[in-house]
Amino acid sequence: MPENLYDVAYNLEKALRESDEFKALRKLYDQVNADESASKMFENFRNIQLGLQQKQMSGQEISEEEIEQAQKSVQLVQQHETISQLMAAEQRLSMVVTELNKIIMKPLEELYGSMEQ
């Protein structure tokens, strides 16, 4: 009898939490939050990022001033070693999740891909 898909998903969640990529991300995230100035800097960066994403998704124009503010924020956080490492760890974990998503979606891609032919 095949496993329940939800059980498999919860096992995948557990495996992700136990992965080296997630553990590294958690450690760096905790380090950034333990440093008050780094935490504020990172929170400001995230708020700017989320605000621009929301504007973009709603179809609103992003001003040159907002773009400059975002670029300055990126430069600032990249200069902070721990935040820079955190962002790199986020990117690595995001790549893992993207690869997992490709694997999960493969049956649908095969199904719909075969219908196109």
Side-chain angles (χ1 to χ4, degrees):
M1 182 160 191
E3 286 187 79
N4 178 313
L5 288 177
Y6 292 98
D7 292 340
V8 173
Y10 285 115
N11 287 336
L12 182 57
E13 175 200 9
K14 182 179 178 189
L16 187 61
R17 288 180 188 276
E18 293 173 356
S19 71
D20 291 340
E21 293 85 358
F22 184 80
K23 287 178 183 178
L25 178 63
R26 170 56 86 182
K27 180 180 177 188
L28 288 162
Y29 182 80
D30 289 345
Q31 287 176 5
V32 167
N33 284 318
D35 178 337
E36 188 176 342
S37 67
S39 179
K40 286 181 181 178
M41 187 185 306
F42 187 64
E43 183 178 348
N44 182 55
F45 167 75
R46 298 286 297 208
N47 287 338
I48 291 170
Q49 192 178 39
L50 290 173
L52 291 177
Q53 286 175 350
Q54 288 174 346
K55 264 188 121 169
Q56 191 176 30
M57 289 172 58
S58 68
Q60 296 178 1
E61 287 280 326
I62 297 173
S63 70
E64 284 293 322
E65 183 180 313
E66 290 170 317
I67 291 171
E68 286 178 27
Q69 181 186 17
Q71 289 172 340
K72 287 177 185 176
S73 178
V74 167
Q75 290 173 351
L76 189 62
V77 295
Q78 286 177 337
Q79 291 175 5
H80 192 287
E81 185 177 343
T82 309
I83 296 174
S84 183
Q85 290 173 354
L86 173 63
M87 292 170 62
E90 282 180 347
Q91 184 64 31
R92 285 189 299 276
L93 186 61
S94 177
M95 289 171 54
V96 169
V97 170
T98 298
E99 289 298 316
L100 292 172
N101 190 49
K102 285 180 186 177
I103 293 167
I104 292 167
M105 295 305 293
K106 192 171 184 172
L108 292 174
E109 289 174 14
E110 289 173 356
L111 176 66
Y112 288 108
S114 66
M115 289 178 62
E116 292 173 0
Q117 297 172 352

